[in-house]
Amino acid sequence: MLTIKRVPTVVSNYQEDVLLESNVVGCGRKCLGKCCLPVSMLPLYSFKNDDNEPMEHNIHTLPEEEYQISFLNNLLLGLWEERMSQGLFRYDVTTCETKVIPGKCGFIAQLNEGRHLKKRPTEFRIDKVLQPFDENKFNFTKVGQDEVLFRFEPSTDYKRRYFSGMGVDAGISPSIVAINVSPIEYGHVLLIPRVLDCLPQRIGRDTFTIALHFAREMADPFFRVGYNSLGAFATINHLHYQAYYLSVPFPVEKAPVRKILARKGLGGAGVIVSKLLNYPVRGFTFEGENGSTIRDLSEVVVNSCISLQNKNIPFNILIAQCGKKIFLFPQCPPTTVTEKGSLFTYGIAGNNRAANVGSGEDGVYTALPLP
């Protein structure tokens, strides 16, 4: 008999209010705020920062490069499992029951009560994609450093390096990789670009490339990076990306597409934009041609996202194939949405999965047929 611990849905153990001692230095919690982070030592992974390097040469070029890239993959998994052994997660996601729904898409259903029960109310409006950052509401500067795996920063010499402990330089706002304490899948982490800048949840030109570099450096086709805008199931208005492993292709990765246009990059190579065909939700793919760079791909995707944001159209992003292919899912402008989201809207659009069935929906899950 499967037993799932019933816990509040939060992304950090520090999301709930706690009382603090009045005689401690700073906030006394070793958080990621300006009170604690600048005097802290955290692991640092420096990635090769060359946005103009052709993308087909990013992976498996030299034995030394291959070793360095696989090192980050092993590092993340090792630290993630270490946090699991320390009891930092709200539940054991590896025990959540899953099944494949028969049909041409092959969607995956997961019964994950631990993520959805007693969900914390959303602290911002759901009918506006662009909203200012509010320091009085939960944000990632309040996360404890025990939930941090490592900093993810561009190198200064175009080489990949890892430091087990490195201080944060004055004036630097580091990008952080931390666990999601309410995971959807194995290895579920949060990528928080420039955490001290307190950026709201919106796509920008300089921060989106960090997510592409993260996917590229992981160099694992089963590791995907995702983004949810406000109004498309983002629950915290502090810039962050979700990322986790799934050992099979997402249904959308197998969907047929039709090319609709191509954009030339700075180096002459193009970015191909295609439309999903015969898929339950609207979506587009962006894929670089041979010779295209991270900058080429990023520019086209970011321009599309900024256009959607400015028109108050919520959307979801999936970064697949180690950063080489990006899926964009525009959503209907939000008006009235239930707090949990509908069963299939959340699964297909937000996570490209069939369902993440929450509290009170176990009967629906049970009713889903096995192949």
Side-chain angles (χ1 to χ4, degrees):
M1 176 68 68
L2 175 67
T3 301
I4 298 179
K5 185 179 179 181
R6 296 175 178 266
V7 295
T9 300
V10 292
V11 298
S12 168
N13 290 318
Y14 295 82
Q15 192 166 342
E16 298 170 321
D17 296 332
V18 296
L19 296 176
L20 300 176
E21 302 268 347
S22 59
N23 59 348
V24 296
V25 178
C27 72
R29 287 167 45 183
K30 293 192 68 176
C31 68
L32 295 182
K34 294 180 180 179
C35 52
C36 301
L37 189 56
V39 294
S40 301
M41 300 285 290
L42 293 175
L44 168 64
Y45 182 89
S46 295
F47 61 86
K48 186 177 180 181
N49 185 25
D50 189 355
D51 294 347
N52 295 316
E53 178 180 303
M55 296 187 70
E56 70 269 21
H57 300 311
N58 288 333
I59 301 172
H60 305 313
T61 55
L62 299 173
E64 180 181 0
E65 294 289 304
E66 184 175 344
Y67 166 77
Q68 292 289 346
I69 293 176
S70 64
F71 171 80
L72 180 61
N73 202 336
N74 292 333
L75 174 70
L76 186 147
L77 289 177
L79 294 176
W80 194 88
E81 291 183 348
E82 182 181 272
R83 300 307 190 275
M84 176 180 284
S85 67
Q86 295 171 353
L88 295 184
F89 294 97
R90 294 298 179 103
Y91 51 86
D92 184 358
V93 70
T94 63
T95 65
C96 293
E97 187 178 355
T98 62
K99 63 174 66 171
V100 178
I101 301 175
K104 64 179 182 180
C105 291
F107 290 123
I108 304 168
Q110 179 193 82
L111 178 60
N112 190 333
E113 289 184 294
R115 184 172 173 84
H116 289 278
L117 290 180
K118 300 178 183 178
K119 190 177 189 301
R120 184 183 178 94
T122 301
E123 295 183 306
F124 50 84
R125 297 177 57 176
I126 62 172
D127 60 345
K128 294 186 67 175
V129 174
L130 298 179
Q131 299 180 43
F133 180 85
D134 187 346
E135 64 179 7
N136 296 317
K137 296 176 181 177
F138 176 79
N139 62 78
F140 294 110
T141 65
K142 300 178 182 180
V143 169
Q145 294 179 20
D146 54 347
E147 297 179 9
V148 173
L149 301 185
F150 50 84
R151 291 163 51 196
F152 185 74
E153 301 289 334
S155 65
T156 57
D157 55 4
Y158 297 100
K159 294 183 180 179
R160 298 177 175 92
R161 301 183 186 277
Y162 175 71
F163 305 90
S164 59
M166 181 69 69
V168 179
D169 295 336
I172 297 296
S173 181
S175 297
I176 297 293
V177 175
I179 62 171
N180 187 324
V181 300
S182 300
I184 292 175
E185 278 290 353
Y186 179 74
H188 190 171
V189 296
L190 302 168
L191 172 65
I192 311 164
R194 293 164 37 194
V195 63
L196 290 179
D197 288 348
C198 295
L199 302 171
Q201 186 75 344
R202 65 181 63 181
I203 294 293
R205 301 186 190 282
D206 53 345
T207 54
F208 185 70
T209 56
I210 298 175
L212 290 184
H213 278 293
F214 187 43
R216 182 183 78 167
E217 294 289 321
M218 288 297 294
D220 188 331
F222 297 123
F223 185 83
R224 288 84 165 189
V225 180
Y227 173 89
N228 298 325
S229 76
L230 300 185
F233 302 102
T235 58
I236 297 172
N237 188 21
H238 190 176
L239 181 59
H240 64 286
Y241 294 83
Q242 310 270 357
Y244 57 79
Y245 292 85
L246 187 65
S247 59
V248 295
F250 278 18
V252 71
E253 294 180 81
K254 301 180 293 183
V257 298
R258 175 171 56 85
K259 177 180 175 181
I260 56 177
L261 59 89
R263 290 280 188 257
K264 291 295 182 182
L266 296 178
V271 174
I272 299 173
V273 183
S274 302
K275 180 180 180 180
L276 291 176
L277 300 177
N278 303 320
Y279 197 68
V281 296
R282 295 177 302 167
F284 302 89
T285 67
F286 301 78
E287 192 167 10
E289 295 179 319
N290 287 338
S292 63
T293 67
I294 279 186
R295 178 179 296 182
D296 296 333
L297 185 56
S298 176
E299 280 292 319
V300 178
V301 175
V302 169
N303 287 340
S304 299
C305 293
I306 290 177
S307 177
L308 292 175
Q309 289 173 162
N310 292 338
K311 296 175 181 177
N312 198 38
I313 299 176
F315 58 91
N316 310 95
I317 294 173
L318 174 68
I319 301 174
Q321 296 183 13
C322 306
K324 293 183 179 181
K325 191 171 186 178
I326 300 172
F327 297 85
L328 175 63
F329 302 91
Q331 304 295 323
C332 295
T335 51
T336 57
V337 180
T338 60
E339 187 171 286
K340 293 176 184 176
S342 64
L343 176 66
F344 286 95
T345 300
Y346 179 76
I348 297 172
N351 294 301
N352 291 285
R353 307 186 56 182
N356 284 83
V357 185
S359 171
E361 293 176 331
D362 54 328
V364 178
Y365 175 85
T366 305
L368 294 173
L370 286 170

